[in-house]
């Protein structure tokens, strides 16, 4: 009985909230945050994760990541934007563990939004973006996709200016990216 109740809850969240352009546009950011927090908790269950994915979850997360990345820089002080991004990035990281999901995320330009967020003034957004990009590079060679962005400059800035916890992740990310001839050449040019 409980399993069916949770399945119904996930389907309702996906259909009535996250698949609804009208609701997403009109929703108070605090409500969006609570929806995403609930979805994150529910996604811990493998069966419920599959339901999220089957209900266009990867595409929705990618679109939301792209949208909220733009909002993060345009309306930085808007309530809950950073917290919403942290939830989206966390879900993105969780779902990227599956190679098919990761390919879909890359195809939807999620890595580009994450690279842009490496310039975020919000510490938790920056940390989550770093960790998610690192996990992307550990699971798949995305260096050709990343060579088009300004990610190297952002990583080097983190290494030069941030505390050791950020530097360690940034150095690992840079090492993963440096395996590419294209990225290695860009590093030499800097």
């Amino acid at each position: 009985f409980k399993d069916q109740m949770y399945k119904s809850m996930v389907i309702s969240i996906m259909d009535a909230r996250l698949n609804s352009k009208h609701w997403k546009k009109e929703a108070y950011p605090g409500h969006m945050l609570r929806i995403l927090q609930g979805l994150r908790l529910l996604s811990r269950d493998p069966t419920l994760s599959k339901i999220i994915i089957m209900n266009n979850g990867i595409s929705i997360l990618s679109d939301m990541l792209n949208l909220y990345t733009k909002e993060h820089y345009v309306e930085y002080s808007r309530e809950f934007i950073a917290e919403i991004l942290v939830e989206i990035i966390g879900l993105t990281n969780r779902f990227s563990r599956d190679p098919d999901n990761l390919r879909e995320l890359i195809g939807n330009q999620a890595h580009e939004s994450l690279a842009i967020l490496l310039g975020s003034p919000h510490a938790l957004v920056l940390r989550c973006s770093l960790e998610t990009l690192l996990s992307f590079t550990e699971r798949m060679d995305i260096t050709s996709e990343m060579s088009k962005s300004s990610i190297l400059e952002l990583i080097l800035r983190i290494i030069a200016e941030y505390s050791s916890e950020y530097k360690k992740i940034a150095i690992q990310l840079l090492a993963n990216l440096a395996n590419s001839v294209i990225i290695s050449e860009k590093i030499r040019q800097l």
Side-chain angles (χ1 to χ4, degrees), residues 75-115:
E75 299 184 54
Y76 177 74
S77 61
R78 186 171 169 212
E79 193 174 28
F80 299 117
I81 296 299
E83 292 85 353
I84 289 170
L85 268 171
V86 167
E87 293 297 332
I88 294 169
I89 296 166
L91 285 162
T92 299
N93 197 358
R94 176 171 290 155
F95 288 122
S96 72
R97 293 176 189 150
D98 177 271
D100 292 332
N101 294 343
L102 180 54
R103 277 190 285 282
E104 187 174 347
L105 286 162
I106 299 299
N108 291 332
Q109 306 303 310
H111 61 289
E112 288 294 330
S113 292
L114 292 166

Side-chain angles (χ1 to χ4, degrees), residues 53 56-66 104-105 108:
I53 293 164
N56 207 23
I58 301 301
S59 179
I60 290 169
L61 279 174
S62 299
D63 291 346
M64 289 178 71
L65 180 60
N66 295 332
E104 187 174 347
L105 286 162
N108 291 332

Side-chain angles (χ1 to χ4, degrees), residues 66-158:
N66 295 332
L67 172 72
Y68 282 100
T69 296
K70 291 174 189 158
E71 281 193 35
H72 182 60
Y73 288 103
V74 174
E75 299 184 54
Y76 177 74
S77 61
R78 186 171 169 212
E79 193 174 28
F80 299 117
I81 296 299
E83 292 85 353
I84 289 170
L85 268 171
V86 167
E87 293 297 332
I88 294 169
I89 296 166
L91 285 162
T92 299
N93 197 358
R94 176 171 290 155
F95 288 122
S96 72
R97 293 176 189 150
D98 177 271
D100 292 332
N101 294 343
L102 180 54
R103 277 190 285 282
E104 187 174 347
L105 286 162
I106 299 299
N108 291 332
Q109 306 303 310
H111 61 289
E112 288 294 330
S113 292
L114 292 166
I116 291 166
L117 290 170
L118 293 182
S120 174
H122 192 279
L124 194 52
V125 170
L126 172 61
R127 172 84 186 233
C128 291
S129 299
L130 262 174
E131 289 175 350
T132 302
L133 278 170
L134 178 62
S135 74
F136 276 26
T137 61
E138 288 172 344
R139 294 185 186 112
M140 181 182 282
D141 182 9
I142 60 169
T143 51
S144 62
E145 290 85 356
M146 297 309 299
S147 67
K148 300 169 191 135
S149 71
S150 60
I151 191 170
L152 291 178
E153 292 85 357
L154 292 168
I155 293 171
L156 292 173
R157 193 187 97 217
I158 293 166

